[in-house]
Amino acid sequence: MLRTYRRLLCRSFPFNEEGQELIDSRNNLGVVTLSPLLCALRSSSLEEFWDELEKATSIAKDALMFRIERFDTVTSDAAPILYQNGSLNVDLKKGEKVSEVFKDGFSSVSLGFLGLHECVVQLTGKAPYDCKDSYNLQMDILKFLDDKAKQWKKETGYGFSTYSTPNESTSLRLVRLYKEKYGEIKGVTDHVYLTNSFHVFPEKNMNAFDKIDFEAPFIKHSSGGFVTTVDMPNLSKNTDAHEALVDYAYDRVPYFLINQPVDECYKCGFEGEMKGTSEGYTCPECGNNEAGTMCCIRRVSGYICEPDARPLNPAKQNEVINRVKHV
């Protein structure tokens, strides 16, 4: 059996025991996303929060082990192209169990998380970029999750890791449920999405360099995958600024994206940034809002899409149109 694996998970950054990135990568068995915010909403004190988080991680582990155990009876015949003919870069024989492929840490098992910003605001009343205690608490929560993943990896031999979940439909659903049960809480449930992983709240006015500096320290506790992004105006005519951002991020964050609009209206020829609303996108020059007669490019959860052609869910659309430019 070949021991070479192809990366199958977007933004996945697998590491070996020495902390070195595995460039040749591996596969992933899936993600179970945990919401620390729910633990905070259920708690009346910080002590209760840690108890709730302990319970939540235990449930998450059970869910992840269930996923793993489902492979115990699966043989390579279930997907010959994947397991027998090299798509997964393994060469199993007919009837050979596939579970062996995923052992010894070569397959990541992802403990996802989202909404650390809202969680900390609920617990302290202050955003982590405005208060040192809130910042430290956000770091402690992520370290707690990372320590759990490392513990499970040691116990089982499977590659448990913390994964900065690029939440989409989950974000919309959770906020709706939390608002129904706990009401509208300022800075917590008063927007229709949860902030991605450990990121800065998308509507926070902050320059790009400060955002990179804020998020970089959290990466060490996100071994399963992460991304740092900044939103900018179109930099096609300001390549020096583009290069300065890349240079600054290069030694600070391993995975970095610059979001910038590259929109075009096919009716009037406008090139710039379309005006986004909850209903879609409109050309600021001629008012065109017909899908198929314009091109809007946006980065949503780590990938590029055309929301005018394939609309986003309300949570992600709201997040995208309310993102501030980090200038």
Side-chain angles (χ1 to χ4, degrees):
M1 180 171 60
L2 301 177
R3 276 296 187 184
T4 305
Y5 295 87
R6 178 177 301 160
R7 177 170 294 162
L8 295 181
L9 180 64
C10 171
R11 78 166 69 178
S12 178
F13 278 82
F15 293 85
N16 63 18
E17 295 300 326
E18 288 72 40
Q20 299 170 320
E21 184 185 353
L22 302 177
I23 302 300
D24 291 334
S25 80
R26 59 189 174 188
N27 55 80
N28 182 66
L29 287 180
V31 183
V32 169
T33 297
L34 185 148
S35 172
L37 173 57
L38 178 58
C39 300
L41 290 169
R42 288 174 170 173
S43 307
S44 59
S45 67
L46 194 56
E47 183 178 359
E48 285 186 19
F49 166 76
W50 289 113
D51 289 340
E52 289 290 336
L53 192 59
E54 181 74 40
K55 296 174 186 176
T57 52
S58 178
I59 295 171
K61 181 190 177 185
D62 289 343
L64 288 167
M65 288 304 301
F66 176 78
R67 286 174 177 264
I68 294 170
E69 291 164 359
R70 288 291 299 271
F71 285 96
D72 287 344
T73 59
V74 177
T75 69
S76 62
D77 300 327
I81 293 177
L82 189 66
Y83 297 111
Q84 297 175 8
N85 300 313
S87 289
L88 195 60
N89 280 3
V90 294
D91 187 16
L92 300 180
K93 297 178 181 179
K94 290 184 177 182
E96 192 171 356
K97 289 187 176 181
V98 302
S99 57
E100 294 299 315
V101 171
F102 307 122
K103 293 182 178 179
D104 303 322
F106 283 95
S107 178
S108 54
V109 184
S110 300
L111 174 64
F113 62 93
L114 77 166
L116 283 187
H117 170 85
E118 287 82 5
C119 174
V120 169
V121 172
Q122 172 64 16
L123 291 169
T124 68
K126 297 181 180 179
Y129 40 72
D130 291 331
C131 172
K132 186 65 175 178
D133 289 341
S134 296
Y135 176 91
N136 290 338
L137 178 57
Q138 178 162 305
M139 183 68 75
D140 288 344
I141 294 170
L142 182 51
K143 183 178 183 302
F144 177 90
L145 299 179
D146 189 29
D147 287 345
K148 286 293 183 182
K150 291 176 179 176
Q151 176 187 331
W152 302 340
K153 183 177 181 179
K154 186 176 181 180
E155 292 172 352
T156 67
Y158 288 100
F160 286 97
S161 59
T162 43
Y163 175 61
S164 301
T165 306
N167 65 90
E168 292 184 48
S169 58
T170 301
S171 176
L172 174 67
R173 180 173 182 272
L174 291 184
V175 172
R176 185 179 69 247
L177 293 174
Y178 297 164
K179 191 174 297 186
E180 289 175 358
K181 186 167 184 179
Y182 300 101
E184 187 169 297
I185 304 170
K186 184 177 180 181
V188 180
T189 61
D190 59 349
H191 39 279
V192 298
Y193 59 87
L194 292 181
T195 302
N196 193 353
S197 62
F198 55 74
H199 286 178
V200 170
F201 182 54
E203 298 174 39
K204 168 65 177 177
N205 285 307
M206 177 180 288
N207 70 61
F209 303 105
D210 287 344
K211 186 175 190 292
I212 293 169
D213 287 340
F214 175 88
E215 295 181 357
F218 295 97
I219 289 173
K220 64 183 177 182
H221 296 307
S222 304
S223 60
F226 49 82
V227 64
T228 287
T229 66
V230 296
D231 284 81
M232 304 295 291
N234 192 307
L235 299 178
S236 61
K237 296 181 180 180
N238 190 356
T239 55
D240 287 343
H242 195 287
E243 185 174 356
L245 285 171
V246 173
D247 288 344
Y248 191 81
Y250 185 83
D251 294 322
R252 292 170 173 81
V253 292
Y255 189 6
F256 178 63
L257 298 176
I258 301 174
N259 301 327
Q260 50 186 312
V262 286
D263 302 344
E264 181 180 359
C265 177
Y266 300 146
K267 283 192 172 182
C268 71
F270 169 80
E271 294 182 359
E273 181 172 2
M274 298 297 180
K275 182 179 180 181
T277 70
S278 60
E279 303 300 322
Y281 291 86
T282 302
C283 175
E285 288 290 326
C286 69
N288 174 32
N289 59 4
E290 296 179 21
T293 63
M294 66 174 68
C295 179
C296 294
I297 304 297
R298 296 292 183 273
R299 194 278 310 171
V300 182
S301 297
Y303 60 85
I304 301 298
C305 68
E306 291 187 69
D308 60 309
R310 184 181 178 185
L312 309 174
N313 72 54
K316 299 311 291 186
Q317 177 69 359
N318 188 277
E319 178 196 322
V320 169
I321 64 178
N322 284 289
R323 290 175 183 167
V324 301
K325 296 292 190 292
H326 299 115
V327 295

